[in-house]
Amino acid sequence: MEEANTLVLVIDDEELVRDNIEEILVPRAKNHLDESINEAAHILFDMPQPILSPRNNNIPVFSVDKAANGPDGLKKVKDAVEKNRPYAVIFLDVRMPGWDGLETAMKIREYDTKAEIIFITAFSDRSIEEIVDKAGQNVGYHCKPYATEEIVQLATKAVTDYNRLRNLESLIESISSIGLNEHQLASLLKNILDQLANTLETDMALLGKLHDDFSYEKVLSIGAMEEKINLQELVARVKDIKIAPQEVIQVDELVLARLNCYSVFAVLKNQGRLKTEKMYLLKLFVQNAAQAIRNAELHEELLRKEKLSAVGKAMSMVMHDLRAPIKNISVITALMRDEGLESEWLDMVDRSATQASEIFDDFLDFVRDSPGTKETVDLKSLLEEALVYVKMKDGFDNICINVDCPDGLTVQADKSKIRRAVANIVNNAVDALIDHSVPRATISLTGVRNYQQSIAEVIIRDNGPGIPDNIMRTLFEPFVTRNKANGTGLGLAIAKQYIIAHGGEIKVVNEKGARFTIALPASQ
């Protein structure tokens, strides 16, 4: 661990004050004159304790520099920062000719935002709120006349706070540079919430995701927060406040910390107010914690891309081996027909071979993010063809499926890809209805034209149990299966990628079952 910074700068236009603070903070060397004075004081005044004694070991060994005015003090601060030996504490007189104390502090903050500034003055010309607003959170204020012990205590506390914050900075910055996986991210979020709660000395706190639409998704909580606080009311207050992504504020008894997409609500005991030093510490913690969370998310995103890349390479090799056998299936069925063999089973084999070939192609297109070839496509026939891919599923015949789309409604699309996207959504709906044994199971596919926005909408609705709230936000992420015995976890991810690539949009809500809405550019 680095040696503690105990550098002190005294800026005061009175030489007597500068020298006096230096004498107080710099330890006196024990000498024969001190012993003589102590002995005389004991004889004359019957004093049991010496009036001049060595510094207590618990008090830091300070090093003091002095400046007679604001510009001289600023120069010393700049020089110290350039030499990487910044001051930990700056004692600053408020009333000085030329630059006053507040103006000097504001100029110092342009070069050093971390030094603990302690204003020493006999006149309270400025409010503490104004000083904090202009000179930063890490400031103190003490009125003259002062006692020796007060200066020592102020300097000791300021040096302690300064070094504690620097150590915390180093620690959190180190943590924020580490890549974390999803499990470690969960542990990080829990530690962040615990640290904030401990710092705020509260037993009610809540951490969750605050989305762009200001809906709040709970992740973790401490105490009976949800029972005693109206969460919708809190979110509404946040919406009105418009707090920055990495900021901490206090509104009455509520403390809100934003960590990018995450937010922490905490309720202070006895409606207390946070001290400026604690608010500064919280802001520092939140900024670095937000960076740690971001690094974890980037790490997860990188892993997903690497996984997709690996799957793409594996699928390319599989395709190389399977392409010829799959293509040969249609050749074989054609030869069988030439021999006079006709059967609906042959038609089914042809459809299955075509479907298998398209699945391979679509899968590879997804991994490679290949652009589609757009053409004018009749939407009604596209929906009907998409159902053909699902009809071979066990239990399909027990589900009532309705298609309602006006004739002549067309879209500009890659027919294979949009058909595959619709089939994937319907396939998931069939699985949900069968798995939950939904009575009178129904799926409806509706196509409508939105003339105002020049789009065509496909609405796919089922009367199943709907999508659980805890997976709604991650529904379109790749490689995440939803309690299904079979499946790659890519169906809805592929659907979303295809639709976005067409300049379209896909949304899902629970509305007496799951309701997917696909918006695509309509043909003119």
Side-chain angles (χ1 to χ4, degrees), residues 18-36:
R18 298 195 302 270
D19 292 343
N20 180 244
I21 293 179
E22 181 183 27
E23 289 177 4
I24 292 172
L25 294 181
V26 177
R28 294 180 58 89
K30 186 175 181 180
N31 54 46
H32 294 297
L33 179 59
D34 290 343
E35 293 178 356
S36 300

Side-chain angles (χ1 to χ4, degrees), residues 213-440:
D213 59 358
F214 282 95
S215 59
Y216 196 75
E217 178 187 353
K218 174 195 167 183
V219 177
L220 297 165
S221 65
I222 294 175
M225 181 82 172
E226 295 166 281
E227 298 176 9
K228 298 184 180 180
I229 299 297
N230 187 320
L231 189 56
Q232 291 183 339
E233 213 173 274
L234 288 183
V235 173
R237 292 172 73 178
V238 174
K239 186 176 180 180
D240 293 337
I241 295 169
K242 297 180 180 179
I243 180 173
Q246 296 180 14
E247 188 59 272
V248 181
I249 62 169
Q250 179 177 359
V251 181
D252 301 326
E253 78 286 358
L254 176 69
V255 174
L256 171 63
R258 284 289 303 273
L259 299 90
N260 296 335
C261 64
Y262 291 92
S263 294
V264 175
F265 295 112
V267 179
L268 296 180
K269 295 179 180 178
N270 303 320
Q271 298 187 346
R273 295 292 302 176
L274 292 178
K275 295 181 179 180
T276 55
E277 309 97 286
K278 185 168 285 189
M279 183 65 81
Y280 173 73
L281 178 63
L282 284 172
K283 288 182 178 180
L284 176 66
F285 181 84
V286 163
Q287 289 167 4
N288 286 277
Q291 184 59 48
I293 292 171
R294 180 58 182 153
N295 285 346
E297 292 171 338
L298 289 174
H299 183 69
E300 278 296 295
E301 184 178 341
L302 178 61
L303 289 178
R304 282 195 296 269
K305 288 182 178 179
E306 289 176 348
K307 194 173 183 181
L308 282 173
S309 178
V311 168
K313 291 177 182 177
M315 286 302 298
S316 295
M317 291 186 289
V318 171
M319 277 294 297
H320 180 270
D321 294 334
L322 290 182
R323 184 182 295 273
I326 290 175
K327 298 294 184 184
N328 287 339
I329 291 175
S330 60
V331 176
I332 295 171
T333 55
L335 291 173
M336 294 173 70
R337 288 189 180 94
D338 290 342
E339 293 293 326
L341 221 90
E342 290 292 342
S343 170
E344 63 178 14
W345 293 105
L346 288 180
D347 296 335
M348 184 178 295
V349 170
D350 278 339
R351 288 197 301 269
S352 296
T354 302
Q355 180 183 2
S357 181
E358 289 184 349
I359 288 173
F360 273 119
D361 292 340
D362 288 348
F363 195 96
L364 287 174
D365 285 347
F366 171 76
V367 174
R368 297 167 181 166
D369 201 9
S370 303
T373 302
K374 296 181 182 178
E375 59 181 329
T376 301
V377 177
D378 181 76
L379 190 58
K380 184 175 183 179
S381 63
L382 185 149
L383 298 179
E384 290 173 344
E385 289 175 22
L387 294 179
V388 175
Y389 289 84
V390 191
K391 282 184 177 179
M392 288 180 286
K393 290 183 69 72
D394 293 336
F396 179 86
D397 293 337
N398 298 324
I399 299 174
C400 177
I401 298 186
N402 301 310
V403 177
D404 181 13
C405 184
D407 295 328
L409 178 55
T410 59
V411 294
Q412 290 298 117
D414 184 315
K415 186 174 184 179
S416 170
K417 288 180 168 49
I418 298 302
R419 183 176 59 203
R420 187 81 214 150
V422 172
N424 286 348
I425 295 171
V426 175
N427 186 65
N428 279 11
V430 171
D431 286 342
L433 294 171
I434 294 174
D435 291 346
H436 291 84
S437 302
V438 176
R440 293 185 294 278

Side-chain angles (χ1 to χ4, degrees), residues 180-197:
L180 303 170
N181 59 35
E182 187 173 358
H183 175 71
Q184 291 168 326
L185 175 59
S187 298
L188 174 64
L189 292 174
K190 184 179 185 305
N191 287 335
I192 288 172
L193 182 62
D194 289 341
Q195 289 286 346
L196 287 174

Side-chain angles (χ1 to χ4, degrees), residues 10 41 53 87 91 147 166 174 195 201 208 246 252 260 264 293 337 360 424 445 457 459 472 481 487:
V10 181
S53 60
Y87 293 106
F91 284 94
R166 300 295 77 75
S174 297
Q195 289 286 346
E201 299 177 1
Q246 296 180 14
D252 301 326
N260 296 335
V264 175
I293 292 171
R337 288 189 180 94
F360 273 119
N424 286 348
L445 290 79
E457 291 183 338
I459 301 167
M472 181 69 82
T481 56

